[in-house]
Amino acid sequence: MHRSTIHSLTLLLPFYTSAEPLGIPRQNGDLTVIPRASPDAPSGGYAPAEVSCPAERPTIRLANSLSESETEWLEKRRPLTVDPMIDFLTRANIEGFDAEAYIREVADDVTDLPNIGIAVSGGGYRALMNGAGFVAAADSRTPGTTDAGGIGGLLQSATYLAGLSGGGWLVSSIYANNFSAVETLRTGREDSSIWNFADSIFVGPNLPGFFDTPRYWAEVAGQVSDKDDAGFETSITDYWGRALAYQLIDAPDGGPAYTYSSIANGDDFSNGRAPFPILVADSRYPGERIVSLNATVFEFNPFEMGSWDPTTFGFAPTRYLASNFSGGVVPSDGQCIRGFDSLSFIFGTSSSLFNAFLLANISAVEGVPSFLIDAVTGILESLDDSNNDIAQYAPNPFLGWNNDSNPNSDEFALDLVDGGMDLQNIPLHPLLQPVRAVDVIFAVDSSADTVYAWPNGTALRATYERSLSAIANGTQFPAVPDDATFLALGLNNRPTFFGCDVANFSSTQNQTPPPLIVYLPNAPYTAYSNVSTFEPSFPDAQRDAIIRNGLDGATQGNGTLDGQWPTCVACAVLSRSWARRGDAVPAACDACFERYCWNGTTAAEAGAAVDGGGGGGAEYQPTLKIGGEDGENGGGDSDGPGDSGSVGRVVGFSGWASVVGLVVALMFL
């Protein structure tokens, strides 16, 4: 479609990519990344392919219950959380409470066994790295996390792990590599680009066989071209996801045949030894460009893709996406499709905000000649005119489904976008569904809400506001204050609990109290982790400093800021279980709830000032809470006070490569 436009530009490639990619020495230790068992796409590559349907033909189901597959998986997972939970709660040492006796008592009937969810927000690499710090802190496999002040074992006790956009990259990478520990992925191995963020995806991996950026992009484009040749729609999302895969999936060529549904075949997941991974995306209704809070929220899990919202209210089997379901079922004479659920396409869908970024901001990249920018912008705008700036699921699995309420029921393609574009940048939606009965959600927020890219609770407020509308389908959510209150009272600079008192919620046959929300905002503990959402590369030292900062936020500096923090985490885990049973709350937990629960006070009521200083405000610029290892900012170029981390920071060779690489990729559209 654009080959004639790009042909003349390709003559420039040798000149603009002649510099050697920046080679950062990789850290190598005893830990090694465990490859996935096997790729699952029947084509052996990125392209989907026709296959014979199973004897029980795939169907769309109503979203009025958990799937049979998830229910059966929970029967394995929930009992396996008991021992890790006992270990964690015992170490948390709630005074006057016998954690082991309590958990043993409720373990037989899992109704009262605490049900834990973890939600990692969007925010590009910032979200991946900050979220990785929390996951590492919660993982008992991380050295030191089961020592005093640690919260190791919380991950092993959790039932669900949800991610969105950059947080979805984290979740996907963990599961793409057999539920590898963050420390394992961070350390990497020789001849692997796994988590090597020093070489941006625009430049490509610094590996044997990749001699220059054009060759790398030609490899990516060839993979996407295979999908196009097989008769399936392609878009910028395909290229974006495939490029990310070289950093996130430790397999040759970024594992083009690895599928999201094949997570279900992994040893750890299939045997219930790992939490249930979920990614989130939003629908964009036909003819619209703005994604509002009324947009339908879709989730992807290893078994199904669909929505709990009353619009679509249905789920399709993830493994057979792109099959022709014709109103809910593959016809008896129809063929099934497999391989459309490429892992990279799914996590690319959940982060398609970056398509819009390229479309709107490519001219902000410094140091690129205007004639080259004009050519690339023209190509992107042409793609956008064809709706290729989003992820298209064609044929739409929900074509002819719920015609009265589904706005996409008569559309051949289902258009999905970044899960945070409706402002719900924390993937809480799947974990709020009453059928999942989650008790507590650890909400890791790496949003860039303020001028200097710190969160201010916008994501929580969006979910609360949505809960008040009909599209929430009766799902409840705790009240949260305005941004002025978050900033003035420091709720965006420390952990805060929302929804502590279940008496504040309706409890009927159709409505149950929502989970308690443990809000963990990105804040500067040992590093300024407020890097730009669109920063494309990070030296190892900066990557490690931001991950460490996230770990310090999760543990409050291993108890440096609050020696009782592990106790308070344990109290949050147990709170809903105690409420269901009518049990008394230990005094130690009363003290925790007094300290961390938002009590409804607003900035105006408290008389708190909201200004540009330490109290917050539009120019909120916090200082380090603990101090970095280098005495300044934890090592690296994270944005300190006064540095907004703007798009203009993408300079030099990385900036050139972002444009040049894109040009090469678009040749194949």
Side-chain angles (χ1 to χ4, degrees), residues 266-330:
D267 188 54
D268 280 307
F269 178 79
S270 64
N271 288 295
R273 295 197 298 266
F276 193 84
I278 303 173
L279 300 191
V280 172
D282 292 336
S283 70
R284 193 173 79 180
Y285 294 145
E288 294 187 5
R289 302 306 302 268
I290 303 299
V291 179
S292 71
L293 280 175
N294 285 324
T296 300
V297 177
F298 283 81
E299 75 168 58
F300 294 85
N301 66 60
F303 301 126
E304 296 183 308
M305 168 268 192
S307 179
W308 303 97
D309 289 345
T311 46
T312 301
F313 201 64
F315 282 89
T318 305
R319 195 179 198 212
Y320 293 104
L321 288 176
S323 299
N324 180 9
F325 286 97
S326 298
V329 62
V330 176

Side-chain angles (χ1 to χ4, degrees), residues 371-412:
F371 74 89
L372 190 55
I373 289 176
D374 291 344
V376 173
T377 302
I379 294 167
L380 287 172
E381 288 177 347
S382 177
L383 282 173
D384 184 52
D385 289 341
S386 302
N387 274 335
N388 284 328
D389 62 314
I390 45 81
Q392 289 189 312
Y393 285 69
N396 174 11
F398 304 102
L399 182 68
W401 175 263
N402 278 354
N403 294 328
D404 292 338
S405 60
N406 179 9
N408 294 295
S409 64
D410 59 352
E411 297 291 328
F412 178 74

Side-chain angles (χ1 to χ4, degrees), residues 334-349:
Q335 290 291 304
C336 286
I337 301 295
R338 273 186 41 215
F340 188 88
D341 65 315
S342 163
L343 188 55
S344 64
F345 187 60
I346 303 300
F347 62 64
T349 298

Side-chain angles (χ1 to χ4, degrees), residues 19 51 189 218 239 318 378 412 496 534 544 644 656:
V51 296
R189 62 179 179 82
Y239 294 91
T318 305
F412 178 74
T496 304
F534 301 109
D544 295 349
S644 66
W656 282 104

Side-chain angles (χ1 to χ4, degrees), residues 436-462:
R436 287 198 165 122
V438 174
D439 289 326
V440 59
I441 302 174
F442 289 86
V444 184
D445 190 5
S446 303
S447 302
D449 302 323
T450 69
V451 171
Y452 297 113
W454 299 106
N456 67 7
T458 293
L460 289 185
R461 282 191 300 280

